[in-house]
Amino acid sequence: MIVTPKFRGFICTTSHPAGCEYSVRQQVEYVKKQKRISGAKKVLVIGASTGYGLSSRIAAAFGCGAATIGLFFERQASGNKTASAGWYNSAAFEKFAREEGLYAKSINGDAFSNEIKEQTIELIKKDLGKVDMVIYSIASPRRIHPVTGEVFNSALKPIGSPSTVKTVDFHTQQVSESTIEPADEEEIRQTVAVMGGEDWDMWMKALKEADVLEQGAVTIAYSYVGPEMTHAIYRKGTIGRAKDDLEATAIKLTENNKDMGLKAYVSINKAVVTQASAAIPVISIYISVLFKVMQDMNIHEGTIEQMYRMLNDRVYSGDMKLDEKGRICMDDWEMRPEVQAEVARLWAEANNENIREISDIEGYRKEFFRLFGFEFDEVDYSADVDIDVKIASIE
Ligand code: NAD
């Protein structure tokens, strides 16, 4: 089949298998060129198929030589409907890992459910015995509580008062302002239930009870802070409340598991284009401007550079360089005063006439389509491809 992008706003409903494979290969090649990391050996990645989770899996496997179990919620191809990008990414990852002689197995299902937790634990017991690192990288709009069955939906809204934000439609490159009404208490509660720390906590309890965590294991979840101009919608909004809860969970997990020396961290990662971040209104214009500024300063990073740096320079370097709240700060380059001063200056000026000069809006658009395997010069999009790609470890 010839696969072309079919998109609506920040959603692309088709993915290109060869393009996704190419994109995973690029990440693998990047890590293979770096110094080997003496670190994790058996890693569970929850949310392993796209964005930060996929890059964490690649950095652990090809950087540390780790065996990985990857868990995700993706769609396989059916009829003439392509699989989701995360499905193709995971098929490619397993292929490259096996070529390298690395153990790699995947589980596709709802990580929030008890059933998938049990299935994962069984697989760890059977194949790895125990794991020494657990990465928690879920981004989801919805969660079904495994005990009560309550369905929670997350909201991306400010808290307290309405917020007027600049945003850009990266397809049309039109800048506009829109006002987002504040969330009510119920929306805050539901967002915290989806993106806060409860499920991470449930995972770690289940893994500990099943005795599949090595003594001194490390677990890391991901968060974001960002500059003042994004705070109303992000850090001081509903999603920020969820991240406060996630960060508090890290402290609690370390405290409550001293007996086995578990170390739980939150890593504050840089703003990048992923399926999750594309859904946040103010973030598209912020990232477009940020990319240009960081590229001009030669300090641009994507997810793979960040995740390799996190493992090599922080987690397994002997010096985590934690901030005053005990967090790993991978946003250190993004938050440099000179970067933020320039972003703030350009951001204030952004309008329809100058958006192409003052930001990398074209780069943003390209990155968005690359998440789905499109826009790579090296891939022949006129070629017929088999969309029914199997993930080696999934029947
Ligand atoms: P993403 O959308 O690329 O990845 C989400 C992953 O979660 C995918 O592997 C998906 O399959 C999986 N997933 C979603 N629902 C699931 C479910 N019910 N069961 C199993 N798997 C499920 O997102 P991302 O941007 O890489 O986000 C990962 C984490 O990084 C989030 O905590 C996010 O807040 C954080 N983060 C992102 C950015 C950014 O700019 N993108 C910056 C800092 C921190």
Side-chain angles (χ1 to χ4, degrees):
M1 194 172 122
I2 309 285
V3 184
T4 54
K6 289 203 175 53
F7 58 92
R8 202 171 353 102
F10 54 81
I11 293 167
C12 187
T13 54
T14 52
S15 305
H16 200 283
C20 289
E21 179 172 313
Y22 178 77
S23 130
V24 172
R25 185 194 298 279
Q26 275 193 315
Q27 293 200 38
V28 168
E29 293 303 326
Y30 171 81
V31 174
K32 282 169 75 176
K33 280 195 210 113
Q34 312 304 312
K35 189 174 118 268
R36 273 295 268 214
I37 307 166
S38 171
K41 289 283 155 260
K42 291 174 286 181
V43 180
L44 169 64
V45 183
I46 305 164
S49 53
T50 56
Y52 274 119
L54 172 66
S55 295
S56 308
R57 189 178 193 187
I58 295 172
F62 293 89
C64 305
T68 60
I69 292 177
L71 174 51
F72 42 77
F73 209 7
E74 300 294 347
R75 181 191 74 231
Q76 63 178 309
S78 76
N80 61 2
K81 229 175 153 236
T82 70
S84 57
W87 180 275
Y88 292 137
N89 290 341
S90 304
F93 172 84
E94 281 202 9
K95 177 177 149 186
F96 298 137
R98 281 158 193 233
E99 278 171 16
E100 208 81 7
L102 293 165
Y103 170 97
K105 284 194 184 171
S106 306
I107 294 175
N108 188 36
D110 182 7
F112 298 133
S113 69
N114 287 336
E115 185 199 346
I116 288 294
K117 289 184 176 73
E118 282 157 22
Q119 205 181 314
T120 308
I121 286 167
E122 281 319 303
L123 184 61
I124 297 173
K125 277 189 180 162
K126 181 165 83 64
D127 286 2
L128 304 179
K130 296 185 183 207
V131 290
D132 54 6
M133 173 173 265
V134 179
I135 298 287
Y136 188 85
S137 186
I138 298 259
S140 173
R142 189 169 175 271
R143 171 174 173 229
I144 302 173
H145 195 280
V147 179
T148 65
E150 187 176 353
V151 179
F152 305 105
N153 289 294
S154 68
L156 288 164
K157 292 189 176 184
I159 293 175
S161 48
S163 170
T164 300
V165 292
K166 250 186 202 178
T167 190
V168 63
D169 179 327
F170 58 90
H171 301 296
T172 60
Q173 309 195 338
Q174 289 294 304
V175 180
S176 61
E177 276 195 352
S178 59
T179 299
I180 306 173
E181 291 303 316
D184 57 27
E185 283 306 316
E186 181 56 16
E187 287 172 310
I188 299 172
R189 183 183 77 87
Q190 294 208 18
T191 308
V192 172
V194 179
M195 289 296 285
E198 189 188 20
D199 183 58
W200 185 24
D201 190 47
M202 285 179 160
W203 265 103
M204 298 317 294
K205 270 203 187 92
L207 295 168
K208 184 182 181 184
E209 272 167 28
D211 195 24
V212 293
L213 287 177
E214 292 282 6
Q215 188 74 23
V218 174
T219 181
I220 307 174
Y222 299 137
S223 183
Y224 183 65
V225 176
E228 190 67 37
M229 66 193 90
T230 63
H231 280 183
I233 196 75
Y234 198 96
R235 195 63 211 210
K236 292 190 178 146
T238 46
I239 181 77
R241 282 289 174 86
K243 293 302 185 189
D244 290 344
D245 185 68
L246 189 78
E247 291 172 21
T249 302
I251 295 167
K252 201 173 76 183
L253 281 171
T254 302
E255 270 302 308
N256 295 349
N257 294 291
K258 283 204 170 118
D259 53 331
M260 52 172 312
L262 178 77
K263 295 263 184 281
Y265 299 99
V266 158
S267 174
I268 308 294
N269 294 346
K270 171 188 182 280
V272 291
V273 187
T274 64
Q275 292 185 46
S277 71
I280 309 171
V282 72
I283 295 294
S284 57
I285 193 161
Y286 171 69
I287 292 183
S288 304
V289 177
L290 179 74
F291 274 20
K292 175 164 171 52
V293 172
M294 292 185 78
Q295 276 157 4
D296 288 351
M297 293 183 182
N298 233 346
I299 50 172
H300 177 72
E301 287 180 307
T303 55
I304 194 62
E305 290 86 357
Q306 280 262 300
M307 293 299 91
Y308 174 82
R309 189 159 71 91
M310 180 186 81
L311 294 183
N312 186 56
D313 296 10
R314 304 294 167 84
V315 181
Y316 296 113
S317 71
D319 180 9
M320 303 272 280
K321 302 185 187 73
L322 303 176
D323 72 359
E324 70 294 347
K325 292 184 174 166
R327 306 174 300 192
I328 303 170
C329 291
M330 297 315 300
D331 65 343
D332 49 347
W333 298 358
E334 169 182 359
M335 297 310 288
R336 280 182 187 171
E338 65 273 24
V339 171
Q340 287 303 325
E342 185 61 0
V343 171
R345 190 182 70 76
L346 295 170
W347 168 287
E349 284 177 8
N351 59 38
N352 281 332
E353 280 68 52
N354 65 13
I355 190 73
R356 277 163 294 277
E357 289 95 70
I358 65 156
S359 80
D360 186 18
I361 184 72
E362 175 51 21
Y364 185 102
R365 192 195 65 79
K366 224 177 200 171
E367 287 261 323
F368 172 80
F369 283 110
R370 287 183 167 183
L371 298 176
F372 304 92
F374 299 106
E375 293 274 349
F376 290 106
D377 293 342
E378 299 79 356
V379 175
D380 177 5
Y381 293 104
S382 63
D384 213 6
V385 282
D386 181 5
I387 59 166
D388 190 17
V389 176
K390 300 272 176 261
I391 297 177
S393 69
I394 296 180
E395 291 300 303

